[in-house]
Amino acid sequence: MKYINVLSLVALCFAVSGCSGHEKVKKKEKEKVTQDGFRYVSFGKIPKDKMGKKTGRHYWDKTYYISKPAADSFYVYGGFDSIRMKTPGEKFGTMFRKVDIRAISWKPEPSYDDFSFVGNYITDSLPGYYMSYYFTKDRSGILQLGYTDPGNLNSVILFTKDSVNVLKRSGVNIDPRDEQ
């Protein structure tokens, strides 16, 4: 039962948001598309009080192994103009489009350890939900931060090619109170 709940949560997170390292070039558009496969996912937990107010830094839950090949596909188009995430059971996946968030007081962090900010994204399937994506230089990991409003962090997910949660190992814990 716990395994089913974990898979359901992973599928949900993929819908809200692998890297075998090869490039495909569309013949018609000549647009660079990179496909990457990730086998491991780590979820961040955000402590909240009874009223839902965030009370502290997030912490990392255990790392889960994804066994199905279709469960971990990210397709990056152009210069991170859009990202398509394909999960099990989805034929085409979910397309995230880069968006410029013009918030006056909130700006995304430029980096978390070796993960560099590549952009903020939205998708039609989750209206009012924003994603900030961070990639490692070698594309061995993706950090996905989910927001209901700019500055209102409510999900932290790390996708990696190996079982080591490098952010946990480095002591990176994101404080959602700093984001407000």
Side-chain angles (χ1 to χ4, degrees), residues 37-82:
F38 297 88
R39 290 293 194 192
Y40 299 90
V41 61
S42 300
F43 296 97
K45 302 285 186 173
I46 300 173
K48 299 176 185 175
D49 65 15
K50 291 179 182 177
M51 300 301 291
K53 182 179 178 187
K54 291 147 184 114
T55 59
R57 293 178 151 321
H58 104 286
Y59 59 92
W60 292 106
D61 196 6
K62 65 182 180 178
T63 299
Y64 297 93
Y65 176 74
I66 304 170
S67 60
K68 292 192 174 200
D72 56 352
S73 295
F74 285 86
Y75 301 84
V76 177
Y77 295 88
F80 292 98
D81 296 330
S82 58

Side-chain angles (χ1 to χ4, degrees), residues 139-160:
R139 293 206 180 176
S140 62
I142 299 174
L143 175 63
Q144 174 188 302
L145 303 180
Y147 300 88
T148 54
D149 291 311
N152 189 15
L153 178 69
N154 65 9
S155 71
V156 178
I157 305 171
L158 176 66
F159 302 94
T160 55

Side-chain angles (χ1 to χ4, degrees), residues 18-25 32-37 74-75 139 161:
C19 284
S20 48
H22 67 277
E23 294 181 0
K24 298 177 182 178
V25 178
K32 181 177 172 183
V33 179
T34 304
Q35 176 189 359
D36 297 316
F74 285 86
Y75 301 84
R139 293 206 180 176
K161 290 184 177 188

Side-chain angles (χ1 to χ4, degrees), residues 6-145:
V6 169
L7 286 179
S8 298
L9 187 56
V10 169
L12 173 64
C13 292
F14 278 115
V16 174
S17 45
C19 284
S20 48
H22 67 277
E23 294 181 0
K24 298 177 182 178
V25 178
K26 288 185 177 181
K27 292 183 180 182
K28 290 181 181 178
E29 299 174 15
K30 301 291 184 198
E31 179 181 19
K32 181 177 172 183
V33 179
T34 304
Q35 176 189 359
D36 297 316
F38 297 88
R39 290 293 194 192
Y40 299 90
V41 61
S42 300
F43 296 97
K45 302 285 186 173
I46 300 173
K48 299 176 185 175
D49 65 15
K50 291 179 182 177
M51 300 301 291
K53 182 179 178 187
K54 291 147 184 114
T55 59
R57 293 178 151 321
H58 104 286
Y59 59 92
W60 292 106
D61 196 6
K62 65 182 180 178
T63 299
Y64 297 93
Y65 176 74
I66 304 170
S67 60
K68 292 192 174 200
D72 56 352
S73 295
F74 285 86
Y75 301 84
V76 177
Y77 295 88
F80 292 98
D81 296 330
S82 58
I83 298 172
R84 181 167 56 101
M85 179 187 289
K86 191 167 183 304
T87 63
E90 286 185 305
K91 188 172 183 175
F92 300 106
T94 301
M95 183 65 78
F96 294 89
R97 295 180 325 275
K98 195 174 222 177
V99 64
D100 182 23
I101 299 175
R102 299 185 184 268
I104 295 170
S105 62
W106 176 81
K107 298 291 180 217
E109 290 292 323
S111 65
Y112 288 102
D113 200 36
D114 291 336
F115 290 77
S116 298
F117 178 72
V118 297
N120 292 308
Y121 295 81
I122 58 171
T123 182
D124 293 340
S125 62
L126 294 166
Y129 204 76
Y130 301 91
M131 296 291 173
S132 291
Y133 278 102
Y134 295 79
F135 279 69
T136 57
K137 194 175 276 189
D138 66 359
R139 293 206 180 176
S140 62
I142 299 174
L143 175 63
Q144 174 188 302
L145 303 180

